[in-house]
């Protein structure tokens, strides 16, 4: 079964740059040597991807061979650790942590197999909903987002769509106005006088919204036709449901290697992890790309949320995790709908990716501290054990990041070959679960990227969690904004929109 990417291939094929190209009479694009450009791009990119995959497995199997070859050295290293003052306590702690993580994994696997998404309800039972789309420097992507929402299989009379431009510096406001012309009264548009951050744009949407359910969608995301219906239905069947997380997949997974890797990672993160969390009524984060909230649960914490601070500074990141935390604290269940799919853009280069992970890491540190204040109290009726286990699982990862980082550097300094080979063997074993999981649900060939992603993350992004901990107080979205060079490419709104077009 091939992965469903909806419009991603068609969407991106129309956005290729046409610099240094020639058009034929039938509008085919050729490079300066007369070769069809799409063939040139596909051949070069496919060759590089094949090289990366082959290289990944050469590395992993080489690591396994080295572990076998140096088995006696590993035995000696273990004896040295056991006989040292620090080594034995560390080994005991590592073993205990491994057993805890293995137990949590088996528990999540059990819950995953029990999970089933809630079936959608009829038009008559569907509640009114307000869809809020905050946008900042998204360009034409916001148009695509709004068009996909308008095309949803949801009663028009029950759906209000709000688009809020958060002081963009590019042509985002132009495309929002174009969408308004196209959709008419179905879409209400607003422009913040200046860029104040996504949280403030959402806050304005919450205050303006009239629906019983609020749905938030990122402005670089595309929803399926049945997504909104499936996302909102749990609120009808479960009065204890305060929020629902959507199923996020990668939109630009055909355009670069990093998105292909992340696509496998996202499926694991959402369809496995959040399915298990949903069975416990304790999904820890409703993603910004697609989430739904009961309006009463939002209004109960809205002022606390918009005025949230960390170490005396206003919080301008992690608005989705913060809202989820505050709704869980009220005693509501937070669920996941696997059949509510949204495709979203992810970074295609290393710099954008690590900045996104830093932002997520800082948010996790902050919200884990907030969750500690209520998770061991009587915050909800019924069982609270599941939520507490999930909290301890995340906290253990954060707390142990520094000890394991120090151990890693010590291992590299004293036994570099043993470190590299054992790490590669561990990746080969552990990543196989993600690969098999993805292959079973989608595509066996695409599943191989699970191994490349694990190698890439282990050796180039291992520092994210420790860095996020020591910089948790820092502000800033990191991945937003325009460079001066890019800003020069845009013209004024008046030049974009002839007056007679907008008055039509």
């Amino acid at each position: 079964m091939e992965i469903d990417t909806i419009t991603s291939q068609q969407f991106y094929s129309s956005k290729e740059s046409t610099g240094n190209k020639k058009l034929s009479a039938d509008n085919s694009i050729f490079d300066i040597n007369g070769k069809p450009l799409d063939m040139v791009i596909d051949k070069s990119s496919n060759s590089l991807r094949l090289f990366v995959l082959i290289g990944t497995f050469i590395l992993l199997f080489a690591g396994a061979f080295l572990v076998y070859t140096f088995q006696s050295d590993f035995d000696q290293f273990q004896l040295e650790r056991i006989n040292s003052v620090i080594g034995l306590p560390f080994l005991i702690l590592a073993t205990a942590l491994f057993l805890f993580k293995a137990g949590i994994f088996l528990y999540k696997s059990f819950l995953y197999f029990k999970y089933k998404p809630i079936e959608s309800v009829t038009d008559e039972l569907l509640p009114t909903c307000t869809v809020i789309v905050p946008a900042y420097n998204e360009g034409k992507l916001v148009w695509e987002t709004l068009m996909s929402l308008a095309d949803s299989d949801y009663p028009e009379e029950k759906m209000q769509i709000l688009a809020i431009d958060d002081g963009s510096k590019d042509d985002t406001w132009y495309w929002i106005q174009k969408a308004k012309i196209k959709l008419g009264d179905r879409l209400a548009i607003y422009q913040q006088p200046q860029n104040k951050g996504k949280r403030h744009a959402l806050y304005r949407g919450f205050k303006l919204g009239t629906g019983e359910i609020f749905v938030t969608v990122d402005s670089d995301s595309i929803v399926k036709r049945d997504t909104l219906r499936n996302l909102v239905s749990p609120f009808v069947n479960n009065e204890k449901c305060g929020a629902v997380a959507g199923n996020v997949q990668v939109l630009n997974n055909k355009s670069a290697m990093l998105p292909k890797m992340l696509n496998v990672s996202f499926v694991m993160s959402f369809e496995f992890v959040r399915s298990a969390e949903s069975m416990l009524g304790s999904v820890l984060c409703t993603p910004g790309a697609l989430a739904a909230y009961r309006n009463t649960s939002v209004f109960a914490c809205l002022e606390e949320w918009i005025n949230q601070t960390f170490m005396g500074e206003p919080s301008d990141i992690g608005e989705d995790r913060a809202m989820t935390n505050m709704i869980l604290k009220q005693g509501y269940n937070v669920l996941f709908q696997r059949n509510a799919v949204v495709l979203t853009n992810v970074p295609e280069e290393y710099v954008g990716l690590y900045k996104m992970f830093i932002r997520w890491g800082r948010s996790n540190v902050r919200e884990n501290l907030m969750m500690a204040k209520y998770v061991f109290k009587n915050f909800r009726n019924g069982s609270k054990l599941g939520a507490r286990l999930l909290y301890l699982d995340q906290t253990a990862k954060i707390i142990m990041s520094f000890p394991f980082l120090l151990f890693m550097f010590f291992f590299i300094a004293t036994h570099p070959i043993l470190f590299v080979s054992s790490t590669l063997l561990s990746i080969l074993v552990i990543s196989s679960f993600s690969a098999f999981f993805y292959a079973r649900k989608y595509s066996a060939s695409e599943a191989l990227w699970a191994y490349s992603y694990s190698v890439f993350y282990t050796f180039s992004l291992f520092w994210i969690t420790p860095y996020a901990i020591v910089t948790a107080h820092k502000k800033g979205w990191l991945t937003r904004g325009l460079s001066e060079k890019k800003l020069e490419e845009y013209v004024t709104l008046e030049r974009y929109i002839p007056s007679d077009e907008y008055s039509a």
Side-chain angles (χ1 to χ4, degrees):
M1 177 180 177
E2 292 297 321
I3 185 166
D4 186 358
T5 56
I6 313 178
T7 61
S8 60
Q9 202 164 8
Q10 301 94 315
F11 178 69
Y12 279 93
S13 64
S14 66
K15 298 179 77 66
E16 297 287 349
S17 171
T18 56
N20 209 22
K21 306 167 190 174
K22 298 186 292 184
L23 291 176
S24 69
D26 62 352
N27 290 329
S28 298
I29 304 178
F30 292 84
D31 70 359
I32 57 176
N33 297 316
K35 296 181 180 179
L37 187 73
D38 55 350
M39 292 179 62
V40 174
I41 294 174
D42 288 343
K43 285 181 179 179
S44 60
S45 61
N46 287 339
S47 297
L48 179 59
R49 292 168 186 174
L50 182 62
F51 174 79
V52 170
L53 285 175
I54 292 174
T56 296
F57 283 98
I58 290 175
L59 273 176
L60 295 180
F61 285 112
F65 176 75
L66 288 173
V67 169
Y68 174 78
T69 303
F70 291 97
Q71 185 60 51
S72 59
D73 296 81
F74 276 101
D75 294 338
Q76 180 63 32
F77 177 70
Q78 293 291 356
L79 286 174
E80 291 174 0
R81 283 207 302 171
I82 292 174
N83 294 327
S84 66
V85 177
I86 300 178
L88 182 58
F90 184 87
L91 183 62
I92 294 172
L93 179 62
T95 302
L97 184 62
F98 171 79
L99 292 175
F100 172 74
K101 297 289 286 185
I104 291 292
F105 173 76
L106 292 174
Y107 184 44
K108 286 181 178 179
S109 299
F110 169 73
L111 293 173
Y112 166 76
F113 285 110
K114 288 184 64 178
Y115 169 84
K116 289 183 179 179
I118 295 171
E119 294 184 3
S120 62
V121 299
T122 62
D123 287 0
E124 292 73 22
L125 293 177
L126 283 173
T128 57
C129 80
T130 297
V131 185
I132 306 169
V133 182
Y136 180 68
N137 289 351
E138 293 293 0
K140 192 182 178 181
L141 277 172
V142 68
W143 160 275
E144 304 288 343
T145 300
L146 295 171
M147 291 303 107
S148 73
L149 289 168
D151 193 43
S152 295
D153 179 23
Y154 204 96
E156 287 188 23
E157 67 276 9
K158 291 188 174 184
M159 182 170 65
Q160 174 192 30
I161 307 176
L162 307 179
I164 302 172
D165 175 40
D166 188 29
S168 296
K169 297 177 181 178
D170 66 350
D171 57 343
T172 296
W173 181 238
Y174 163 74
W175 288 108
I176 289 177
Q177 291 181 92
K178 290 281 286 185
K180 173 65 176 176
I181 295 171
K182 175 79 171 178
L183 300 178
D185 293 339
R186 296 190 61 194
L187 172 66
I189 64 175
Y190 303 90
Q191 188 177 35
Q192 299 281 71
Q194 61 186 34
N195 175 237
K196 300 181 67 176
K198 183 179 178 181
R199 191 178 297 228
H200 284 271
L202 286 172
Y203 178 78
R204 186 173 183 182
F206 289 140
K207 298 292 281 187
L208 291 168
T210 59
E212 299 167 78
I213 305 299
F214 292 131
V215 175
T216 62
V217 180
D218 278 350
S219 53
D220 59 353
S221 306
I222 307 295
V223 299
K224 283 188 172 183
R225 291 199 74 243
D226 62 352
T227 290
L228 292 183
R229 175 184 293 272
N230 292 334
L231 185 72
V232 169
S233 291
F235 294 100
V236 179
N237 296 320
N238 186 348
E239 63 180 13
K240 295 181 180 179
C241 176
V244 177
N247 185 3
V248 182
Q249 296 180 6
V250 175
L251 176 63
N252 53 330
N253 70 329
K254 301 293 184 184
S255 60
M257 273 191 292
L258 280 183
K260 293 183 81 68
M261 296 180 190
L262 288 169
N263 192 48
V264 181
S265 174
F266 273 37
V267 167
M268 185 68 184
S269 175
F270 283 89
E271 298 195 21
F272 178 77
V273 175
R274 280 174 174 79
S275 292
E277 293 177 348
S278 187
M279 290 298 297
L280 302 172
S282 303
V283 173
L284 297 183
C285 182
T286 52
L290 179 68
Y293 308 97
R294 194 181 295 275
N295 64 357
T296 51
S297 68
V298 170
F299 290 132
C301 64
L302 187 58
E303 297 308 315
E304 177 188 2
W305 176 76
I306 193 62
N307 294 307
Q308 185 184 33
T309 60
F310 183 78
M311 297 183 67
E313 293 291 330
S315 294
D316 61 349
I317 61 171
E319 73 293 327
D320 47 4
R321 179 80 196 274
M323 179 64 76
T324 309
N325 233 348
M326 292 177 184
I327 290 175
L328 282 171
K329 184 181 178 182
Q330 295 175 45
Y332 282 107
N333 290 332
V334 179
L335 307 178
F336 167 68
Q337 276 289 81
R338 187 168 60 201
N339 55 5
V341 177
V342 61
L343 291 104
T344 193
N345 267 323
V346 297
E348 298 182 5
E349 297 178 354
Y350 177 72
V351 173
L353 183 64
Y354 81 65
K355 287 183 177 181
M356 181 180 77
F357 282 158
I358 288 172
R359 189 176 73 243
W360 289 358
R362 288 172 179 168
S363 175
N364 280 335
V365 172
R366 295 180 182 191
E367 295 306 321
N368 263 47
L369 291 173
M370 175 187 169
M371 196 172 182
K373 297 178 182 178
Y374 72 84
V375 73
F376 295 105
K377 297 180 181 179
N378 189 29
F379 69 95
R380 71 156 61 136
N381 296 325
S383 175
K384 294 166 278 290
L385 178 61
R388 290 167 180 170
L389 286 175
L390 294 173
Y391 167 77
L392 290 173
D393 184 36
Q394 279 216 350
T395 302
K397 177 183 176 182
I398 294 173
I399 292 176
M400 295 307 298
S401 62
F402 274 108
F404 277 99
L405 184 67
L406 294 174
F407 173 73
M408 182 188 74
F409 286 138
F410 170 76
F411 199 2
I412 292 172
T414 56
H415 301 84
I417 296 178
L418 299 188
F419 167 77
V420 173
S421 59
S422 61
T423 300
L424 290 173
L425 178 60
S426 300
I427 290 172
L428 180 62
V429 174
I430 295 173
S431 297
S432 293
F433 178 81
S434 299
F436 288 137
F437 182 83
Y438 189 91
R440 179 176 173 272
K441 293 186 65 66
Y442 296 104
S443 164
S445 60
E446 294 291 317
L448 298 177
W449 289 105
Y451 298 98
S452 298
Y453 178 73
S454 294
V455 172
F456 172 76
Y457 189 94
T458 301
F459 290 99
S460 68
L461 295 169
F462 64 88
W463 54 273
I464 292 291
T465 299
Y467 181 77
I469 294 172
V470 299
T471 62
H473 62 286
K474 288 193 173 183
K475 300 172 61 177
W477 195 264
L478 298 179
T479 54
R480 288 190 169 186
L482 291 172
S483 66
E484 291 300 322
K485 183 178 179 180
K486 186 176 180 182
L487 191 58
E488 292 173 359
E489 297 175 2
Y490 294 99
V491 296
T492 63
L493 185 63
E494 288 75 20
R495 289 179 61 190
Y496 260 115
I497 308 180
S499 59
D500 58 340
E501 178 183 352
Y502 192 67
S503 62

